[in-house]
Amino acid sequence: MSTEITLALKTKVAYLLPENELQKVVLENIVYSMSYLNVPKPKESLNFDVVELTKEIQSSFRTLRIDEIKVAFKNGLNNEYGEFFGLNVKTYVSWIKNYMSSEKRHLSLKNEHMKELPKPEITKEEKEKIFNEALEFSKSHFKKHGIILDQGN
């Protein structure tokens, strides 16, 4: 299980951010990708990518968390989802789709859901009290109705 994914799953859901804030997150990840690969991009093309990817996240990735975008981009840049040919909206969406369906993410989600607080242990005295109350209830019910309540046991 990935600690990076586990931490990313604890951040806010991306599509719930105000559009301008989500665009900032998207812009940061696109610019990081461009820098990582040393690929320049015209400002108009960059603006287009930011606007379109933001729309795509808002409409198609309703459970994606803010920091998961970074994880998806990082994995994509490292070819974890196969080779890519250019930095564009199609590539970014592909990275996010592959990340969302990845086994690492599913295992991290499963682990997070299983981390419920342990129920407090019932003391011996509490167990006896519960048993005695149930026994008294069963006795009084039998006296009143002539039927033993044993739930079929």
Side-chain angles (χ1 to χ4, degrees):
M1 181 184 65
S2 168
T3 304
E4 183 179 30
I5 294 173
T6 302
L7 293 173
L9 289 169
K10 295 179 182 185
T11 59
K12 292 180 184 177
V13 175
Y15 95 94
L16 294 175
L17 287 177
E19 188 171 17
N20 64 333
E21 286 184 39
L22 181 54
Q23 285 179 342
K24 286 178 188 174
V25 172
V26 169
L27 177 63
E28 288 170 7
N29 285 284
I30 291 175
V31 169
Y32 172 80
S33 300
M34 292 166 42
S35 298
Y36 186 83
L37 297 173
N38 196 25
V39 175
K41 196 167 211 176
K43 185 176 181 179
E44 301 80 31
S45 178
L46 180 60
N47 288 339
F48 175 82
D49 287 1
V50 169
V51 169
E52 291 304 310
L53 185 55
T54 299
K55 286 179 191 175
E56 192 68 34
I57 289 170
Q58 290 172 324
S59 65
S60 301
F61 301 105
R62 308 286 274 199
T63 60
L64 180 70
R65 305 288 177 150
I66 297 167
D67 288 355
E68 288 184 293
I69 298 169
K70 181 191 281 184
V71 175
F73 273 57
K74 182 180 143 203
N75 292 346
L77 288 167
N78 290 320
N79 294 324
E80 286 191 32
Y81 310 128
E83 287 190 46
F84 59 93
F85 301 96
L87 296 176
N88 52 54
V89 176
K90 186 175 180 178
T91 298
Y92 306 137
V93 169
S94 172
W95 289 348
I96 293 172
K97 280 182 181 177
N98 280 290
Y99 166 75
M100 295 292 284
S101 62
S102 70
E103 187 174 343
K104 286 180 184 177
R105 183 175 191 266
H106 288 285
L107 289 174
S108 294
L109 278 169
K110 183 179 177 183
N111 190 43
E112 284 303 303
H113 288 300
M114 296 182 84
K115 279 186 181 176
E116 294 179 14
L117 293 175
K119 294 180 182 173
E121 188 65 34
I122 297 175
T123 65
K124 185 177 179 181
E125 292 80 20
E126 290 172 322
K127 287 178 185 177
E128 286 177 10
K129 182 181 176 194
I130 292 168
F131 175 79
N132 288 332
E133 287 173 355
L135 184 61
E136 287 304 313
F137 177 79
S138 293
K139 283 181 186 177
S140 68
H141 189 273
F142 178 74
K143 286 180 184 176
K144 203 182 237 183
H145 303 286
I147 299 171
I148 297 174
L149 293 176
D150 67 351
Q151 279 87 35
N153 295 326

